[in-house]
Amino acid sequence: MSDAANPHAPDSPRSSQSPPPSGVQGDLELELLGVATALYNLGTTVINDSTKERDKPKQVGARANDVVRQLAMVDDMSQGIRTMVPQQVLSDIDDSRNPLQLTKERLERAATENQFMNGKIAAIESYRNLLNEALAKNFPETAEYIHDRRSTPTDRI
């Protein structure tokens, strides 16, 4: 699929064609892209070197050094950034889970639990209204107090 047909990078909230943000975070994003490129180059070099003739000099060491150099740059740049990343997000990434998918699942779960809780609240309010009507009918002397309580917004659950 071409970039023109897909305006967003996979798993990215921004367009793949948009420039990185300015400042330290933009520089860090570019360095992280460099790390990804270096890792990709290392992987392709390992595959190519293992399939070629065994007597030729190997390029894996140089590619591994590129990855280490890129990671050292990211580590140096990280000292100037105060953005905190929750440990759970890092654990999910280490476990090969997509943070965007996890966020979607958690939001859907929260919405489901919210609907369930709203149903409970509606059921309790309905029960309270029926109970108040029955109390007012069977104990008419309490009717004025029950009706006064029903109209106060602080009485809601």
Side-chain angles (χ1 to χ4, degrees):
M1 184 177 267
S2 70
D3 286 337
N6 187 7
H8 295 283
D11 300 332
S12 175
R14 337 190 257 120
S15 170
S16 61
Q17 300 301 316
S18 67
S22 61
V24 179
Q25 286 184 329
D27 295 341
L28 183 59
E29 185 175 324
L30 291 174
E31 286 300 323
L32 288 172
L33 183 61
V35 169
T37 303
L39 286 169
Y40 175 80
N41 291 339
L42 175 62
T44 57
T45 301
V46 166
I47 290 172
N48 288 337
D49 281 355
S50 67
T51 59
K52 291 185 178 178
E53 300 167 9
R54 298 189 187 268
D55 57 345
K56 286 189 172 182
K58 306 295 181 189
Q59 299 295 320
V60 174
R63 297 292 186 184
N65 287 337
D66 289 343
V67 170
V68 170
R69 212 173 298 115
Q70 289 289 115
L71 289 171
M73 289 285 291
V74 169
D75 187 50
D76 289 343
M77 293 179 79
S78 71
Q79 304 305 317
I81 294 189
R82 297 289 163 231
T83 303
M84 301 303 287
V85 178
Q87 185 64 38
Q88 185 63 41
V89 171
L90 298 176
S91 296
D92 290 340
I93 291 170
D94 282 345
D95 294 338
S96 300
R97 292 189 218 133
N98 183 337
L100 292 176
Q101 183 64 33
L102 287 170
T103 301
K104 179 184 173 194
E105 290 170 4
R106 288 176 182 149
L107 285 173
E108 287 172 353
R109 181 176 175 186
T112 301
E113 289 177 6
N114 188 28
Q115 288 175 341
F116 180 71
M117 193 55 65
N118 284 339
K120 280 184 167 183
I121 290 170
I124 290 170
E125 285 178 351
S126 174
Y127 175 75
R128 186 188 65 204
N129 291 338
L130 290 172
L131 180 63
N132 286 343
E133 288 175 16
L135 286 172
K137 181 178 177 183
N138 293 309
F139 300 100
E141 65 276 4
T142 63
E144 66 182 272
Y145 302 109
I146 292 171
H147 292 295
D148 287 342
R149 284 198 72 210
R150 235 189 285 169
S151 63
T152 60
T154 58
D155 191 37
R156 297 197 65 170
I157 296 174

